Amino acid sequence: MKRISSSFIIGIFLTALTFLAALISVMWTPFDPTVLDIAGRLQAPSSTHWFGTDHLGRDVLSMVMAGAQNSLAVAVIAVGIGMGVGVPLGLVAAARRGLIDEMLMRMNDLVFAFPALILAILITAVFGPGAINAIIAIGIFNIPVFARLSRGAALSLWPREYVMAARLAGKGVFRISVEHILPGITGLLIIQGTIQFSLAIIAEAGLSYVGLGAQPPDPSWGRMLFDAQTMTSFAPWLALFPGLAIAFSVLGLNLLGDGLRDVLDPRSRTRTGQVQI
């Protein structure tokens, strides 16, 4: 049996901790993260407020927990959009080749040319800032990532003997793609999904930091960092804890992705590295 690396275990632990915090925050937080308490503003970490309070008296621990819920929700939906649209496009491009392949890949290149932040600015200029628009921007940016990955992996499987046998048996390209190609690239998609998940968390924090993501009073790690930037000299905990939350969640997902890569496809290290952003 292949030995599971310690980094993989750490990645599972950190990722589970992030999801657990988000899940618990749905039902309970130490304090209401949206309630203001001006009399208790800027309190240092203590037995009452473990992570201290912010400039409006809100409990930082409660805000970090609620922020995990928002960050993970945005990341899950955005990566789901990217995978749900990008994978079929990549499979179609690999199956059809020729003009269809060329058109789909050039469309992907066009989308890839616009970072998530630029897309968010364009979207919010029309519809206004908010978590939904951040999800759309990050999701659109993920589409070409999964399209490129699925196309490249599918192209390597089409010449295989079992695929040729399926074609000789009279199966169409759609059926072959679903029954034979897609199961063969599922491991790569899972690995890339964890990587894109961590990037989506960073993107959501960045969009919230510049005011394009979740809007007050909804807590957001990026918004917390923005609010703390002028107070780090006398209240460093305001930036420390949301910063650590982002760092640990991203680290956990990347370690998890590395572990899954070793378990599911040890030979995919180079291939997946070519499509990461």
Side-chain angles (χ1 to χ4, degrees):
M1 178 180 289
K2 185 177 179 61
R3 180 177 177 271
I4 298 178
S5 65
S6 58
S7 62
F8 185 35
I9 297 175
I10 295 173
I12 293 176
F13 173 77
L14 293 177
T15 302
L17 188 63
T18 303
F19 275 89
L20 182 62
L23 180 61
I24 292 175
S25 71
V26 175
M27 302 172 288
W28 173 85
T29 53
F31 297 87
D32 189 331
T34 63
V35 171
L36 309 183
D37 180 16
I38 303 301
R41 62 193 297 269
L42 297 178
Q43 292 184 17
S46 63
S47 58
T48 303
H49 299 281
W50 289 7
F51 288 3
T53 61
D54 70 354
H55 62 295
L56 297 176
R58 296 171 295 187
D59 182 65
V60 175
L61 173 58
S62 300
M63 295 179 66
V64 169
M65 293 174 63
Q69 179 187 152
N70 291 330
S71 293
L72 293 181
V74 170
V76 167
I77 299 173
V79 173
I81 292 173
M83 188 176 292
V85 178
V87 172
L89 288 178
L91 292 177
V92 169
R96 293 299 184 181
R97 304 297 302 274
L99 180 61
I100 294 178
D101 181 19
E102 188 69 20
M103 290 177 59
L104 289 175
M105 289 302 101
R106 298 296 76 79
M107 289 174 59
N108 278 326
D109 291 340
L110 179 63
V111 175
F112 222 177
F114 294 90
L117 182 59
I118 302 300
L119 285 175
I121 293 173
L122 293 175
I123 292 172
T124 54
V126 178
F127 301 105
I132 299 299
N133 295 330
I135 290 173
I136 295 173
I138 300 172
I140 292 175
F141 189 69
N142 276 312
I143 291 175
V145 176
F146 287 103
R148 287 169 178 268
L149 174 65
S150 56
R151 173 184 177 272
L155 285 175
S156 68
L157 296 182
W158 272 100
R160 298 288 180 87
E161 290 81 0
Y162 66 89
V163 176
M164 297 177 64
R167 299 184 70 175
L168 292 175
K171 292 184 178 181
V173 292
F174 175 79
R175 188 175 175 184
I176 292 175
S177 296
V178 173
E179 295 182 358
H180 301 283
I181 303 298
L182 183 58
I185 66 174
T186 299
L188 288 176
L189 295 177
I190 293 174
I191 295 165
Q192 192 67 36
T194 59
I195 296 172
Q196 296 307 123
F197 200 100
S198 65
L199 294 176
I201 290 177
I202 296 176
E204 189 279 332
L207 293 175
S208 296
Y209 182 86
V210 298
L212 301 178
Q215 299 298 299
D218 294 332
S220 169
W221 291 342
R223 171 64 63 175
M224 293 175 69
L225 289 176
F226 175 80
D227 292 339
Q229 63 181 343
T230 59
M231 294 175 280
T232 53
S233 59
F234 55 88
W237 61 87
L238 296 181
L240 175 64
F241 293 113
L244 288 176
I246 296 172
F248 283 145
S249 61
V250 171
L251 175 62
L253 286 165
N254 277 282
L255 292 176
L256 179 61
D258 287 341
L260 289 174
R261 178 170 53 193
D262 295 336
V263 172
L264 297 176
D265 191 352
R267 297 172 299 175
S268 68
R269 183 176 299 272
T270 301
R271 295 200 300 270
T272 56
Q274 293 173 347
V275 296
Q276 296 173 15
I277 61 173

